[in-house]
Amino acid sequence: MSTLLQMKMDSENDRESLSECAPDGDAVRPVVTFTPHWKIIYEGDTVTMSCDVEAATQYIYYLWYKNSEYIGKYFQNYTITSAEETDGGDYRCRAVGGGDYSLPARLHVISEGSAERPFVTVNPNWRKIFVGERVTITCDTGSTARGNQRYYWYKYKVILYEEKQRDITITSAALEHSGEYRCRAGSGDVSFPVRLEVSSGSIILQAPPNVYEGNTLTLRCRCRSPYYNEKKTVFHIGSTDLQSQQPMLDIPNVNTTMTGMYGCTRKVGGDNRTDETFISIQVTEGYEMTLTCDTRRNPARSATELHFAFYRDEWKVQHFSASATYSVLAAQLVHSGNYTCDVSDPSGVVRKRSDALYIQIQELFSYPEIKLVPTDIITEGGSMTLTCNTVMKTGYTLQHQFAFYRDERIVQDFSASTTYSVPSAQPVHSGKYTCEVRDPTGGVRKRSEVLSVQIDDVSINHSLRNTIRLALSACVLVILSCILFCHMETAKQLRNISVPEREIQRMSTDDTTVPA
């Protein structure tokens, strides 16, 4: 009995709830939710996690776990104040006295100004190239790129280079250049891997390193043999063969059900040569993702009931049950990882695991950045405009919707406008502003960091200036009064002293006069 893990995606993006798996038996599986509702916070922020249980029984205490380690018994809510990066991790909970463990909910804590996760691009944009060809690999950091940034390059998670440029160029590719490449900008997150294959064969099937649902998949069948003189190509897509007069084929609007083995055949020196490659159509955040655990049964034991379990990065995400599928209604970036499935007979004696399947959930758009115009001091009566900017991460041309908040209260509901304007700002417009961006269905929502805005009150400034003037005038009056008082006292003392002196002088004159 062999086990194969397959991936199936649903391009319907009209569900807002997230329900990852069914509970085991009659057990009630709680769900960890976040307040605020986003799972990526900054250092110093406060976040509250709730252990929500849909059951008639009201539990008093709950057990909480971080990265599968017990952290304590608390009430239904577990709050982290002044979060640090070390607070990030996978959190689970369980009600004391009943119920199952929740699925892990991952919390990310990043520092202010942290760069977004970069992504690796390849130029030319092909996953497979011939030996001796030139290729440039770029660490794309989008809007967070800085001039003095340092870039770290990894191959199979082992550091290769530390560069000031974000590009590395291989001028003459060799077989040893094949592998998975990642990059990191500064102290930010490491990118998802991009695989480069270098071939010494006579024919290769080229496809982009990453293919996302809804995009056009371009295939190119190349031959470097000097004896090649035909352009006719047969492309193999699963069990379907497509004849083409050209060595290139465009497949528009692909979806994740088209994940599989692709190949091409061309005539080289009189012989047909074929090359194959596995192409995974990646899912975008907010879309449904379904994994299927397929196994071939022994015909003699076809009636045996089988149980299936699913894992992400060796962490169980769905316990053993009769269901051979694992679904995520609205996939998020944290659902990226290496997935495996186990199949077992009811007794658990026979148990086998599939090979790992790496799934990368592509970010639909970046976290928005809120900015104030003008950037200097805004006084009462002046105009104020806030802008909300985000960067598309895929080839989608979706119409985003934006909303603005002041002190967690909405001041402009979702619309296509990226700006919020106040023609005549008043002190009541002061506060902590954020903006939120979502896709048209509302399945993917992201909020900016907080921007504090202070509107100077002109009337208060006038009153303050008048108060200062009155205080200064009073001080001057007191000083002048003191000077005048001192002057009058001095004059009085001089008058009191001058009378006796004149009398003494007269008496002295009388004593010295000689009688006639």
Side-chain angles (χ1 to χ4, degrees), residues 26-28 30 51-62 76 95-99:
D26 296 328
V28 178
C51 192
D52 295 336
V53 182
E54 294 183 1
T57 304
Q58 297 297 318
Y59 301 100
I60 298 177
Y61 295 109
Y62 297 79
Q76 186 175 12
V96 175

Side-chain angles (χ1 to χ4, degrees), residues 52 319 349 395 467 511:
D52 295 336
H319 292 276
V349 175
T467 301
D511 292 341

